[in-house]
Amino acid sequence: MPSVERIWTAPEGGAPMAASERVRAVEGGGLRGDRYCHGRGYYSPYDVCQVTLVDSGALETVRERYDIDLSDGRHRRNLVVDYDVVDLLDTRFSVGEAVFEGTRRRPPCARVEEVAGEDDLAEALGEERGGICADVVEGGEITVGDELEVVERLDDPDSLADAIRERRE
């Protein structure tokens, strides 16, 4: 079962990412202590992702192909998981006590190169390695090692019909 390998937050835009063993996801907000949850991110309020996720396999590819080690959080993503995060788009999924909806891709930009101090980082994180954005649908605690489980595919009409039926019962 896929799981959370690392948790990262930064108190404000440009601040170094800090690793945690546990964090609280805030419904409609993001991760407690993270820049975007508190409106202090570089792109606030115009291009906000409540929570960002990246595949650990993508980070390994960056290390192998570009010789850039991002194990210190310079990728600027909140949750590192051992799962192809692009498959979480248009999906409701749980991690620990929290429930998320994958909303869009989060391609890298020149800003990540500037903050990380790595030339070619935006290119290295390209080709679907940049991660995704997710909204917090239900808040709760997340801990390193928590399993990631797909709850519902939002782009599947049968899945949506089942969910609507269950809510009415």
Side-chain angles (χ1 to χ4, degrees):
M1 183 73 81
S3 64
V4 175
E5 294 183 358
R6 298 294 300 260
I7 299 171
W8 297 95
T9 59
E12 58 190 37
M17 299 293 278
S20 311
E21 288 297 311
R22 169 173 298 188
V23 69
R24 175 162 285 282
V26 178
E27 183 176 330
L31 300 182
R32 186 171 288 149
D34 190 59
R35 61 214 185 272
Y36 286 107
C37 187
H38 303 293
R40 295 189 302 260
Y42 180 78
Y43 292 106
S44 293
Y46 304 106
D47 185 19
V48 175
C49 287
Q50 291 181 12
V51 178
T52 53
L53 293 92
V54 67
D55 179 2
S56 59
L59 298 178
E60 182 62 21
T61 298
V62 168
R63 190 188 62 72
E64 289 172 358
R65 286 190 195 164
Y66 295 87
D67 196 29
I68 300 174
D69 182 1
L70 299 173
S71 62
D72 59 359
R74 290 179 302 138
H75 46 72
R76 311 293 297 168
R77 302 300 182 251
N78 298 121
L79 302 178
V80 178
V81 298
D82 58 347
Y83 191 81
D84 184 354
V85 296
V86 174
D87 289 343
L88 296 174
L89 293 173
D90 297 318
T91 298
R92 186 169 284 181
F93 58 96
S94 65
V95 179
E97 298 173 352
V99 177
F100 301 89
E101 283 184 10
T103 58
R104 63 188 170 102
R105 295 173 193 267
R106 188 64 175 180
C109 63
R111 175 76 176 151
V112 76
E113 285 186 3
E114 178 185 325
V115 174
E118 286 284 353
D119 293 335
D120 301 323
L121 183 54
E123 177 186 337
L125 286 171
E127 298 179 22
E128 299 187 359
R129 290 186 293 271
I132 67 164
C133 298
D135 289 344
V136 182
V137 177
E138 295 176 25
E141 292 289 318
I142 300 169
T143 303
V144 169
D146 281 347
E147 292 183 352
L148 182 153
E149 181 178 351
V150 173
V151 175
E152 174 182 13
R153 293 222 48 95
L154 301 176
D155 57 355
D156 177 359
D158 293 332
S159 178
L160 287 175
D162 292 343
I164 291 168
R165 246 190 319 278
E166 287 175 15
R167 288 183 187 127
R168 288 182 179 160
E169 293 176 351

